[in-house]
Amino acid sequence: MRNFIILFIVGLAVSFSSCRQDFEFKASTGDLFFSRDTVYLDTVFSNIGSSTYTLKVYNKSDKDIKIPTIKLGKPDSKYRMTVDGMTGENNRIFHDVELLAKDSMYIFIEVTADVASANPTDFLYTDQIQFDSGENFQKVELVTLIQDAYFLYPKRFDDGTTETLPIGDDEVYGFYLDENDPINGNEYVWGNDKPYVVYGYAAVPNGKTLNVQPGARVHFHADSGLIIGNGGSLKVNGQVSNTAALENEVIFEGDRLEPGFSDVPGQWLTVWLTDGSTNNEINHLTIKNAVVGLLIDHNDGTTTTIKNTQIYNSSNIGIWAKTAKISGENIVINYAGDAALACTLGGSYDFRHCTFNNNWSSSRQVAVLVDNYYTDPQTNQQVAYDLNQADFKNCIIFGSNQVELLLNKGSDATKQFNYSFSKCQIRFNNTNNQFTNNPLYAFINDTNEIIKNGDPDFFDIANNKLVIGADSDAKNFGVNVGVPNDILGNPRNGVFDLGAYNSIVFPQD
C-alpha cells in the first residue's frame, strides 16, 4: 500500500509538470527597464581600449520574455558588448535573448576608437544599444570622449623583438627619444597641444635635453617611466597657473583616465635621474600615482633644482635621492608607502619652505628619512658615504604616525653626517623613549627652532590639499630664507609661514 501511494504522488507530479509553461517565452513588448538611460564611458586615448562598463536590464513583468534583438546602432561600431556572458555576432548583435519574469541581466560595454571616429567639434564618439524594433523599440545611449595624443613606445623589429635599453648588466623595455620621429616630430620637446602617452621607459641619452613645456600632460602606462641617462638633462618648465585647470602646470601621471584611478598609487614606475645626468631643473611639476615619484641617483656633481613641485600617492617613495645633490623649494609631498622624502647614502640637500607629509595607512611610513649608509648583503658590512649637508628651513615634516622623521647614521666615524632643522614643524612623539638618549635628535626640543607636534591645520589631507589654515601652528613661525613667493605664486610679504603655502582662512562648511 505504501509503495502504491508513493508511485501515485510521483505520477501526479509528472502530470502537473508536463502542463507547465515555464519555458514558453513571450516576445518583448518594449517594457524593459534600465539602470541608466545613458552609459558614459570615461575619456580614453585614441585607439586605446577603455575599461568595462555595466548596464543592467530589468524585466519587471510577470512574464518570461524573449528580446528579438539587442544590437549596437552602428554596423561598424567601435563599441563591444557581452550580454549575460554571451558574445553574439562580433560582440555587436544578439538574437532572441531570454529574460525571466522579475529578473535582470547584465550588459558589459567597452570601446576602442580613434579620434577620427569622433565628432570633430567635441571629440565625442557615440552610439546606441538598441532593443527590439518597431513599436517595441527601446535604446540606451553610449557616449565616450576620445582624446588624441602623441604615443611614445619602443620600436618593434622584423624578427619580432622590441627595442630595449641597457641598464647596467640588464636591459629594460624602453627606447631613446628621437629628434626626427616621422610621426611625432622632435620628441625632445614635449608641448601642450595634446597629451603624451609613454609605453616602457623613454630615455634621454648623453648630450640631449628633454624640455617639457608649460601645460604639458604626460601619461605613463603600467611599468613605464622616464630615464635621464649619463650626460642627459631634464628641464621641466611649468609655470604658475591662474585657474583650477592648472593650465600651466606640467603633470606626470598614469594613463588610466577613469575617475576611479585618479588617486591609485603605483600605476607607473618613476622619473629616474640616473648617475651622471646633469643640470636637471624642475619647476611646477605635479607627479601622481607612481611607484617612486623622482629617483635621483648620484648625478654628476651638479645640483638638481626642484621648485614648486607636488608629488602625491607614491606606492614607495615620493623623492628618493641616493648620494644626490638637491636644492628644493616649495615642494609638497603627500602619501607614500615608505617615505615622502628619502635622502639616502649621504649627499647634499637644501630644502626651503617644503611640506613633507605622509598619511599613508601603515605603522612604518615616515615623512622624511635621512641616512648615509647601507649594509652589503654579501659581507653584512656597512658601506658609508658623506652626508655633506641636509638642511631643512621653514619646512613642515608631518604625518599620521607618532614619529615622522628618521635619522640613521652609519658606524663609520670618518664619514660626515651634517644636518640641520631650522624653523620647522615636526611630528615627533617619543612615546616609547626610544630616541631619548639618541644624540641625533637633541635638536628636537629647541623651541626657538622647532615646533614639535602641534597642528599644521591642513585643509584636506585626503585630497592632497595641504595649504595651512589661519589656526596653523606653522603660521608666521619662519624667517626669510630667500623664497619670496609660495607655491601658488603668492608673495610672502614679510610673513613667513612654514611649508610651501601661505596660510589662508578656510571657507566655512
Side-chain angles (χ1 to χ4, degrees):
M1 183 67 180
R2 181 181 176 186
N3 290 338
F4 175 79
I5 293 173
I6 292 174
L7 289 173
F8 177 76
I9 293 172
V10 170
L12 190 64
V14 170
S15 65
F16 272 115
S17 65
S18 65
C19 298
R20 290 181 60 182
Q21 305 297 317
D22 286 353
F23 300 104
E24 293 186 7
F25 288 84
K26 304 295 184 182
S28 171
T29 58
D31 293 325
L32 298 171
F33 291 83
F34 308 106
S35 57
R36 60 184 90 179
D37 57 11
T38 303
V39 178
Y40 294 97
L41 286 78
D42 290 303
T43 305
V44 296
F45 289 115
S46 184
N47 287 318
I48 302 300
S50 72
S51 293
T52 302
Y53 293 78
T54 303
L55 174 70
K56 199 169 184 180
V57 182
Y58 301 90
N59 173 17
K60 295 185 178 183
S61 74
D62 295 324
K63 297 179 180 180
D64 301 333
I65 64 171
K66 182 181 291 184
I67 307 169
T69 58
I70 300 176
K71 66 177 183 177
L72 292 166
K74 296 178 179 178
D76 60 346
S77 181
K78 309 300 181 183
Y79 290 99
R80 305 175 300 280
M81 61 182 180
T82 60
V83 176
D84 258 7
M86 300 180 294
T87 57
E89 298 176 13
N90 299 317
N91 293 105
R92 290 175 173 83
I93 302 176
F94 301 79
H95 297 286
D96 296 328
V97 179
E98 298 171 347
L99 186 55
L100 296 174
K102 305 296 184 181
D103 202 358
S104 61
M105 65 181 178
Y106 284 98
I107 297 179
F108 297 100
I109 309 118
E110 299 175 345
V111 66
T112 303
D114 59 24
V115 72
S117 304
N119 186 323
T121 59
D122 55 18
F123 301 104
L124 292 177
Y125 181 71
T126 62
D127 201 349
Q128 298 175 342
I129 304 177
Q130 298 177 350
F131 299 82
D132 210 339
S133 60
E135 293 182 357
N136 299 327
F137 178 78
Q138 293 179 271
K139 62 183 174 63
V140 172
E141 303 289 345
L142 302 175
V143 179
T144 307
L145 177 64
I146 309 297
Q147 191 166 4
D148 198 10
Y150 295 107
F151 294 94
L152 309 177
Y153 49 85
K155 295 182 177 67
R156 181 175 291 276
F157 302 113
D158 293 339
D159 62 1
T161 61
T162 55
E163 188 177 3
T164 58
L165 290 171
I167 302 295
D169 296 330
D170 297 321
E171 292 184 341
V172 297
Y173 180 67
F175 60 100
Y176 291 109
L177 297 173
D178 187 346
E179 284 179 312
N180 299 293
D181 185 84
I183 297 175
N184 299 325
N186 185 0
E187 295 178 340
Y188 288 105
V189 178
W190 291 357
N192 59 15
D193 57 326
K194 56 184 178 179
Y196 290 77
V197 182
V198 179
Y199 291 83
Y201 269 114
V204 178
N206 182 34
K208 299 295 184 181
T209 298
L210 172 60
N211 284 284
V212 187
Q213 300 303 308
R217 301 292 188 259
V218 184
H219 300 265
F220 295 92
H221 193 62
D223 300 322
S224 299
L226 175 63
I227 292 178
I228 311 302
N230 185 10
S233 299
L234 173 65
K235 309 287 186 185
V236 177
N237 306 301
Q239 298 174 358
V240 172
S241 297
N242 298 314
T243 72
L246 300 177
E247 69 279 0
N248 296 321
E249 185 85 358
V250 173
I251 300 178
F252 289 178
E253 59 184 323
D255 66 345
R256 299 297 299 269
L257 304 183
E258 307 92 319
F261 285 85
S262 60
D263 295 312
V264 177
Q267 295 181 45
W268 57 286
L269 293 176
T270 189
V271 176
W272 186 4
L273 310 181
T274 67
D275 187 7
S277 65
T278 184
N279 295 314
N280 298 303
E281 298 175 1
I282 296 171
N283 196 9
H284 284 287
L285 169 64
T286 294
I287 298 176
K288 300 193 295 185
N289 307 327
V291 175
V292 175
L294 285 172
L295 174 57
I296 304 174
D297 196 354
H298 297 287
N299 313 123
D300 66 342
T302 60
T303 299
T304 296
T305 61
I306 307 171
K307 299 180 179 181
N308 308 304
T309 289
Q310 306 167 69
I311 302 176
Y312 301 129
N313 305 319
S314 304
S315 61
N316 192 341
I317 298 173
I319 295 178
W320 187 2
K322 299 191 290 185
T323 327
K325 189 173 183 180
I326 300 174
S327 173
E329 60 185 54
N330 288 338
I331 298 173
V332 180
I333 307 178
N334 191 32
Y335 284 111
D338 292 321
L341 170 69
C343 299
T344 67
L345 308 183
S348 181
Y349 310 99
D350 179 31
F351 294 105
R352 294 170 291 164
H353 278 291
C354 296
T355 301
F356 303 120
N357 187 74
N358 201 352
N359 272 57
W360 193 274
S361 56
S362 79
S363 59
R364 62 185 178 87
Q365 54 80 16
V366 295
V368 173
L369 165 67
V370 179
D371 71 37
N372 74 331
Y373 73 95
Y374 76 97
T375 301
D376 189 318
Q378 302 297 322
T379 65
N380 204 33
Q381 299 295 312
Q382 287 188 4
V383 179
Y385 301 80
D386 285 319
L387 178 64
N388 297 305
Q389 172 188 358
D391 293 339
F392 295 79
K393 308 179 184 77
N394 290 4
C395 293
I396 298 174
I397 299 171
F398 225 77
S400 55
N401 283 342
Q402 295 301 313
V403 173
E404 289 290 349
L405 169 66
L406 287 182
L407 304 173
N408 293 326
K409 180 182 179 181
S411 58
D412 187 345
T414 67
K415 298 300 181 181
Q416 298 184 64
F417 197 79
N418 300 319
Y419 63 96
S420 69
F421 295 84
S422 59
K423 299 298 181 180
C424 292
Q425 181 174 11
I426 303 174
R427 179 74 181 268
F428 198 89
N429 282 313
N430 186 19
T431 53
N432 297 319
N433 295 318
Q434 59 179 318
F435 302 104
T436 300
N437 298 316
N438 189 330
L440 294 177
Y441 297 93
F443 72 92
I444 204 74
N445 294 311
D446 183 350
T447 57
N448 290 319
E449 297 295 329
I450 303 297
I451 302 172
K452 188 168 68 173
N453 302 314
D455 182 7
D457 193 23
F458 292 130
F459 179 59
D460 187 352
I461 295 171
N463 290 301
N464 299 315
K465 297 178 181 179
L466 299 186
V467 61
I468 61 174
D471 296 328
S472 173
D473 291 312
K475 184 178 179 182
N476 203 20
F477 186 74
V479 296
N480 189 351
V481 293
V483 185
N485 298 324
D486 77 352
I487 191 171
L488 301 177
N490 300 314
R492 291 196 157 98
N493 287 334
V495 177
F496 302 102
D497 301 329
L498 305 187
Y501 297 94
N502 290 349
S503 63
I504 64 170
V505 177
F506 293 151
Q508 296 298 313
D509 294 334

